[in-house]
Amino acid sequence: MQNNIFGRLSLDHFIWNIDPVAISFMGLKVHWYGILFALAIASGFQVMKRIYIKESLPVESLDNLLMYCVVGIIVGARLAHCLFYDPAYYFSHPLKILAIWEGGLASHGGGLGAILALYYYQRQVKLPFLFLLDRLAIATAIFGFFVRMANFVNSEILGLPSTAPWAIVFERVDMLPRHPAQLYEAIAYLLTFILLWAIYKLTDMKQKHGAIFGLFLVLVFSSRFLIEMVKVKQAVYADSWTFSAGQLLSIPFLIVGVALLLMPYLRKNKA
């Protein structure tokens, strides 16, 4: 059995047991989750900065976009988690809605929060809304990669028990080997980012407003829909349902994505 700072390799499966605290100094604790979330924000910001410089857009306005998006993502993700995944508990304990430090952020709500934040920002910079959504989608994909890595570090958003050789034991939770669903999503988001960035750099799809954002929605939420099949259901009330709450919430995003992806080409053919 081999040990390292993250966990240890047993005879059958890797056992994950990283200390959630990365640095502790004089009572001050810095968590891995916070580090990875900061990397998510920083990487998304740098992608947007490169796009703005390339297209001669007002880079100085990105500070406002960053602030609006961070607030929109956190508020939207928290409210969506409370309303869609455990409404009975939060309606009974409304003050707990504010307890973000206890965990509980839903990516669907975070996405809606970011879209609302972008709409508010768009009214200031006077750029087309779909034009901005296309570019923000690229940054959001790499943001999602780091967030899911943070979930992996925290041993949260667990997969179902599995006998697959790549299954991981999250020792902080139990001793069952499970699908590393967080890593599945992280890889899906990273591949989505690479593809969208290549399309933006090498094709004219960026001229078709809404197409890149539509492709982003299709790739992200089709991946999410499929990966939900090997994840523990987060909404207790949906235990007996065929589809999980995460899958049902993904369907509207998929429909919108397909419509946005096809719309520019349908308009062109009609013309």
Side-chain angles (χ1 to χ4, degrees):
M1 185 179 292
Q2 184 179 354
N3 293 279
N4 58 45
I5 62 171
F6 303 114
R8 60 187 186 275
L9 185 61
S10 70
L11 293 176
D12 299 311
H13 300 285
F14 185 76
I15 299 176
W16 180 251
N17 191 26
I18 187 174
D19 188 339
V21 177
I23 303 171
S24 181
F25 180 72
M26 297 181 65
L28 177 65
K29 295 181 179 180
V30 179
H31 289 73
W32 284 109
Y33 189 97
I35 292 172
L36 287 164
F37 200 88
L39 282 173
I41 294 172
S43 61
F45 182 83
Q46 287 303 314
V47 168
M48 289 298 292
K49 186 176 180 180
R50 289 190 63 177
I51 290 173
Y52 266 49
I53 291 173
K54 175 180 173 61
E55 300 196 33
S56 300
L57 297 172
V59 176
E60 63 278 3
S61 71
L62 282 177
D63 289 337
N64 286 339
L65 177 60
L66 176 63
M67 180 179 63
Y68 300 154
C69 281
V70 169
V71 173
I73 289 170
I74 293 175
V75 173
R78 182 60 176 172
L79 290 178
H81 172 80
C82 297
L83 292 174
F84 294 120
Y85 289 101
D86 202 353
Y89 173 78
Y90 288 104
F91 285 147
S92 301
H93 306 83
L95 290 179
K96 283 291 187 179
I97 295 174
L98 302 176
I100 296 177
W101 56 89
E102 294 181 359
L105 298 174
S107 57
H108 298 87
L112 288 175
I115 291 172
L116 291 174
L118 186 67
Y119 177 73
Y120 183 71
Y121 166 81
Q122 175 264 337
R123 296 180 64 185
Q124 298 177 359
V125 296
K126 309 299 183 183
L127 290 169
F129 185 53
L130 287 177
F131 170 91
L132 288 171
L133 273 177
D134 286 337
R135 283 131 186 92
L136 186 63
I138 303 172
T140 302
I142 193 64
F143 174 90
F145 164 74
F146 282 106
V147 169
R148 281 296 178 256
M149 290 303 297
N151 296 139
F152 177 70
V153 167
N154 259 18
S155 298
E156 57 191 15
I157 311 183
L158 296 173
L160 295 170
S162 171
T163 58
W166 60 84
I168 293 176
V169 175
F170 294 90
E171 192 172 36
R172 290 171 56 201
V173 179
D174 55 33
M175 294 305 295
L176 294 174
R178 296 175 177 275
H179 282 286
Q182 318 95 323
L183 294 184
Y184 296 165
E185 283 196 60
I187 292 169
Y189 297 159
L190 180 60
L191 292 176
T192 297
F193 166 72
I194 293 170
L195 178 61
L196 293 181
W197 183 251
I199 288 173
Y200 172 78
K201 295 278 287 185
L202 303 175
T203 76
D204 66 346
M205 185 182 281
K206 57 181 171 288
Q207 307 299 334
K208 300 172 173 59
H209 294 182
I212 290 180
F213 179 59
L215 180 58
F216 164 81
L217 291 178
V218 170
L219 292 174
V220 166
F221 289 101
S222 59
S223 300
R224 177 69 184 270
F225 190 93
L226 294 173
I227 295 169
E228 284 284 328
M229 295 179 181
V230 296
K231 285 167 64 174
V232 174
K233 290 184 178 179
Q234 293 175 270
V236 177
Y237 61 83
D239 279 346
S240 61
W241 295 4
T242 302
F243 297 111
S244 69
Q247 287 176 308
L248 294 175
L249 289 171
S250 296
I251 292 173
F253 288 92
L254 270 170
I255 294 171
V256 171
V258 171
L260 286 172
L261 183 58
L262 295 178
M263 200 178 302
Y265 299 97
L266 293 176
R267 282 201 299 261
K268 181 179 178 180
N269 291 336
K270 186 176 180 180

